């Protein structure tokens, strides 16, 4: 799980062009949106693209995104639960 | 009422000028790398900058340089400040990137963050968000820099009280070709008089653009 979280940090920084963010700045259990990493609605769409591009996972119900993208850990758990990592 | 250009900024050929003075230059490098260096120079500290397309980055840096060297936002209500920009290449630079991402039907992965920049007037939105400007705005696309239309449009807004000040100019970005020319227009008042201000007219705007 930890290795997947570290991989996701790098992928998120690259996909979302977070040029001033370093992997160590993203806490595994910290919120990705709002007060956490400060991502916005376009970033949420980019995270959906990231899951499809790197892990071949399509989110069928966009409403699930809120739970899946709560933190790095919830993202990693979602990927693992789909047998991809 | 007399309208004056109180500040102007030019960015091209790896350099930034403000009010005729060169502020920053670097050795020849790709346009996107130059924008990174220019961002550092501007000391903007605005993480959202890195998410923008190159046209918006160029416009934001030019606006930042102008506003740093101007009291326009202190002297005027942002709700009554207009933004009128123009260019030749529209959003073609970003349009191409988007097109490449959807060209292959087997690997059809368009990026929402790129797609939202496939309109040239998004650069106006980015400037408006950063400086909380909510006045009139327009983005004009023309073959070459059209001082006549820009000046007429601005004067009309100011004369009819649709705006009390304006940020105007030309922001063009396409591949390695980039050029920004931004100028700030205010209504001449005793409180903001300066010998360095220039009258707003077609001849002056053309001169500032070409020099």
């Amino acid at each position: 799980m930890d290795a997947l979280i570290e991989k996701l940090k790098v992928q998120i920084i690259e996909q979302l062009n977070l040029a001033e963010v370093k992997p160590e700045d993203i806490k595994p259990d910290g919120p990705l949106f709002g007060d956490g990493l400060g991502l916005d609605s376009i970033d949420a769409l980019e995270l959906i693209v990231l899951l499809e591009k790197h892990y071949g996972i399509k989110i069928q119900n966009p409403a699930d995104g809120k739970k899946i993208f709560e933190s790095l850990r919830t993202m990693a758990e979602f990927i693992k639960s789909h047998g991809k990592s | 009422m007399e309208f004056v250009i109180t500040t102007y900024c030019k960015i091209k050929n790896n350099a930034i000028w403000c009010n005729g003075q060169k502020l920053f230059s670097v050795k020849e490098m790709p346009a996107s790398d130059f924008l990174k260096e220019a961002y550092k120079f501007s000391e903007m500290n605005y993480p959202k900058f890195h998410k923008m397309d190159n046209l918006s980055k160029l416009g934001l840096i030019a606006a930042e340089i102008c506003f740093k060297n101007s009291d326009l936002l202190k002297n005027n209500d942002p709700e009554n400040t207009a933004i009128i920009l123009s260019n030749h290449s529209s959003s073609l630079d970003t349009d191409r990137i988007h097109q490449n991402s959807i060209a292959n039907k087997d690997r059809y992965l368009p990026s929402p963050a790129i797609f939202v920049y496939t309109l040239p007037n998004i650069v106006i939105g980015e400037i408006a968000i950063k400086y909380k400007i909510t006045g009139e705005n327009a983005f004009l696309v023309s073959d070459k820099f059209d001082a006549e239309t820009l000046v007429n449009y601005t004067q009309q807004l100011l004369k009819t009280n649709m705006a009390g000040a304006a940020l105007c100019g030309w922001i063009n970005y396409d591949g390695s070709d980039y050029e920004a020319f931004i100028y700030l227009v205010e209504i001449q008042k005793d409180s903001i008089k300066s010998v360095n201000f220039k009258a707003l007219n077609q001849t002056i705007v053309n001169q500032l653009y070409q020099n």
Side-chain angles (χ1 to χ4, degrees):
Chain A
M1 183 68 80
D2 287 348
L4 178 56
I5 286 174
E6 289 309 309
K7 195 168 143 189
L8 276 171
K9 286 180 183 181
V10 175
Q11 288 169 338
I12 287 174
I13 288 170
E14 191 192 332
Q15 182 88 20
L16 274 51
N17 286 319
L18 304 176
E20 292 179 12
V21 176
K22 295 185 187 111
E24 57 266 33
D25 297 335
I26 313 177
K27 305 288 173 243
D29 295 298
L32 293 174
F33 293 85
D35 292 337
L37 205 50
L39 305 185
D40 59 24
S41 56
I42 299 296
D43 295 321
L45 295 173
E46 286 292 335
L47 291 179
I48 292 172
V49 172
L50 184 152
L51 283 184
E52 191 176 339
K53 190 160 91 177
H54 294 288
Y55 301 96
I57 302 172
K58 279 191 183 182
I59 295 180
Q60 302 300 336
N61 181 6
D64 294 341
K66 200 174 172 185
K67 213 169 175 183
I68 298 164
F69 300 129
E70 208 173 290
S71 68
L72 273 176
R73 193 175 303 280
T74 56
M75 265 186 91
E77 283 166 354
F78 178 75
I79 293 166
K80 282 269 184 194
S81 71
H82 281 72
K84 319 264 175 120
S85 58
Chain B
M1 265 195 299
E2 197 183 336
F3 310 128
V4 286
I5 296 170
T6 54
T7 304
Y8 62 100
C9 167
K10 291 175 81 170
I11 303 177
K12 64 177 186 177
N13 300 333
N14 302 300
I16 299 175
W17 287 264
C18 185
N19 297 331
Q21 279 194 313
K22 191 190 269 189
L23 300 183
F24 171 77
S25 66
V26 289
K27 62 176 173 54
E28 205 170 317
M29 59 174 66
S32 56
D33 291 345
F34 168 75
L35 289 176
K36 283 180 199 162
E37 295 302 319
Y39 169 76
K40 285 182 209 160
F41 166 76
S42 76
E43 296 177 331
M44 209 184 300
N45 191 21
Y46 192 57
K48 199 181 171 218
F49 175 88
H50 304 290
K51 297 185 184 183
M52 294 176 193
D53 75 336
N54 289 324
L55 182 67
S56 294
K57 285 178 179 173
L58 181 61
L60 204 70
I61 291 168
E64 175 76 8
I65 298 295
C66 274
F67 286 137
K68 262 193 175 164
N69 289 279
S70 158
D71 286 330
L72 183 143
L73 292 174
K74 281 185 204 155
N75 297 333
N76 295 275
D77 183 356
E79 285 182 21
N80 204 27
T81 298
I83 304 177
I84 306 136
L85 294 177
S86 59
N87 79 3
H88 165 76
S89 303
S90 185
S91 55
L92 198 56
D93 189 71
T94 305
D95 296 348
R96 285 200 190 93
I97 297 169
H98 176 63
Q99 188 188 30
N100 286 337
S101 73
I102 59 172
N104 185 347
K105 283 189 178 140
D106 297 327
R107 192 151 173 82
Y108 186 89
L109 287 165
S111 159
I114 290 170
F115 178 72
V116 292
Y117 287 100
T118 56
L119 281 171
N121 57 337
I122 303 302
V123 58
I124 291 179
E126 293 293 4
I127 294 170
I129 290 166
K130 171 85 167 67
Y131 303 100
K132 301 179 173 57
I133 293 170
T134 54
E136 290 288 319
N137 69 74
F139 197 102
L140 314 168
V141 177
S142 57
D143 226 17
K144 56 183 182 179
F145 180 71
D146 181 358
E148 184 182 0
T149 304
L150 278 175
V151 169
N152 288 345
Y153 197 101
T154 310
Q155 284 180 334
Q156 190 63 19
L157 286 177
L158 296 168
K159 278 180 190 166
T160 55
N161 294 320
M162 296 294 286
L167 178 152
C168 315
W170 175 262
I171 302 286
N172 197 63
Y173 192 105
D174 188 14
S176 59
D177 177 28
Y178 66 93
E179 181 182 37
F181 168 55
I182 292 278
Y183 57 93
L184 303 180
V185 178
E186 295 181 68
I187 296 169
Q188 176 83 291
K189 296 171 200 153
D190 287 342
S191 57
I192 65 156
K193 267 193 174 163
S194 163
V195 288
N196 295 321
F197 292 172
K198 299 174 190 316
L200 176 71
N201 63 53
Q202 194 183 324
T203 309
I204 296 285
V205 169
N206 261 326
Q207 275 176 6
L208 296 179
Y209 171 68
Q210 282 161 10
N211 285 345

